Amino acid sequence: MTDLGLRFSVDGPVARVVLDRPEVRNAQTPAMWRALADFGRSLPDDVRVVVLSGEGPSFSAGLDRRLIMGENDQGEEPLLSLGAKPTEEVYDIVAEFQAGFSWLRNPNIISIAAVQGHAVGAGFQLALACDLRVLTPDARFSMREPALGLVPDLGGTQPLVQLVGYSRALEICATTRWVEAAEAKEIGLANIVVPAEELAGTVKDLTDAVLTPLAGAVRETKALLLGAADRSYADQLKAEGAAQERRLKELLAAFG
C-alpha cells in the first residue's frame, strides 16, 4: 500500500506498519487511517506484536495540513467541510478515523511505536495509541491541534492522561509545546530512549521479550491493565480472579 503512504508486513507473530511518506515527514491522511483500520481488522490470529515506525527522519508530522482546506491531490474532502454536516454524520466520520488508531489497543496484541524525530498531532496520537514507545534522542512530541483551532480527536487524550496525569496532559495540549525525548522518558511517555543506531535492535529485543510469555497470559494481563482505571479495587480483584480462572482452564486443557 505504498500508494497510500503505508507499508504493511506480517512475519509469523510480528506485524509491521511503516509510515512511508518521508517527503512530507510522514504526514497522515484519512485514507491512511482507513487503511490502518483495515489492516488491524485483518490481522491473523497468531499475530502477537505490532511494530509501528516511520520512514525517514521523522515518525510523523501529523495531519497533512493541505487536507484541512482541501488543497490536496489525495481526493479527500476538506476536513473543514465536516462542520457543515449533520451531527450524527460527523460522529460517524470521526469514529471511522479513530478506528485507524484504536485497534492498536486491542488486548490480543502488544503494540510498539519506534519514534524518531517529529511526532506531532496525529503522529503523537498514533504513538500514544501504542502500548510501548521506544524513542531516539531527537524524538519530540507536540499536540498541535489546539493551535489549529481543533481538538485531539484520534484517541490520544485518554492514554495521555493515563500516562502523565490530567494536569500535565492539559498543559501539554493547551500550550502545544514540544516534549523532548528526555522529558518524555521522565514523565512516562517513553519506555526507553536509545541512540538512533540502536533503535531497531532495541525494538527487536523488546519484541522478543514480549513474545516470551504465553500469549494468553499476556492478552489477559493487558486487558486487566487497560480496564483497571475504570474499576473499583474490589471489581479489579474480581476481574483478576475471572482472568485467572480462564487461564487455568486453558492451561489445564492444553497440558492436563
Side-chain angles (χ1 to χ4, degrees):
M1 289 193 178
T2 53
D3 56 324
L4 292 179
L6 291 165
R7 299 201 312 270
F8 299 116
S9 64
V10 176
D11 183 9
V14 181
R16 300 185 184 278
V17 178
V18 182
L19 305 178
D20 192 16
R21 302 182 73 206
E23 70 281 2
V24 289
R25 294 186 179 271
N26 298 320
Q28 299 173 37
T29 68
M32 293 171 70
W33 301 335
R34 296 184 191 100
L36 284 167
D38 288 342
F39 182 69
R41 284 189 288 264
S42 67
L43 278 181
D45 291 339
D46 59 349
V47 169
R48 295 180 55 190
V49 178
V50 175
V51 177
L52 202 148
S53 61
E55 187 66 39
S58 291
F59 178 72
S60 175
L63 174 68
D64 190 328
R65 293 194 181 188
R66 294 173 298 173
L67 295 172
I68 296 177
M69 299 300 297
E71 299 170 359
N72 67 91
D73 56 2
Q74 305 293 318
E76 295 279 1
E77 185 178 8
L79 291 181
L80 282 183
S81 68
L82 293 182
K85 296 182 181 295
T87 299
E88 289 302 322
E89 186 176 350
V90 174
Y91 287 170
D92 290 344
I93 292 172
V94 172
E96 181 184 30
F97 296 165
Q98 292 167 335
F101 295 68
S102 59
W103 67 275
L104 292 161
R105 306 271 285 179
N106 186 332
N108 291 331
I109 60 171
I110 299 294
S111 48
I112 303 172
V115 182
Q116 80 284 352
H118 300 83
V120 182
F124 190 5
Q125 293 187 78
L126 193 57
L128 286 168
C130 292
D131 299 306
L132 308 172
R133 283 156 295 281
V134 181
L135 275 57
T136 57
D138 68 335
R140 45 199 327 236
F141 295 121
S142 178
M143 199 70 83
R144 284 296 169 90
E145 284 86 349
L148 300 174
L150 304 171
V151 301
D153 67 343
L154 297 171
T157 55
Q158 185 183 75
L160 182 61
V161 171
Q162 291 172 337
L163 288 167
V164 306
Y166 160 75
S167 180
R168 182 62 61 88
L170 176 61
E171 179 256 325
I172 288 171
C173 292
T175 64
T176 72
R177 71 175 178 84
W178 291 106
V179 179
E180 307 288 343
E183 182 187 359
K185 176 65 168 61
E186 179 183 348
I187 65 178
L189 285 175
N191 291 87
I192 187 171
V193 178
V194 298
E197 62 271 18
E198 298 178 16
L199 181 62
T202 300
V203 170
K204 184 182 185 305
D205 289 344
L206 185 55
T207 298
D208 291 343
V210 167
L211 289 173
T212 299
L214 292 177
V218 175
R219 180 179 64 246
E220 293 279 9
T221 300
K222 178 176 174 178
L224 280 171
L225 294 174
L226 281 173
D230 298 322
R231 301 188 189 102
S232 67
Y233 182 60
D235 286 342
Q236 184 70 4
L237 292 178
K238 292 178 183 178
E240 289 177 1
Q244 194 70 291
E245 179 188 19
R246 289 191 293 271
R247 292 302 308 136
L248 290 169
K249 287 182 176 178
E250 186 174 326
L251 291 172
L252 181 62
F255 303 111

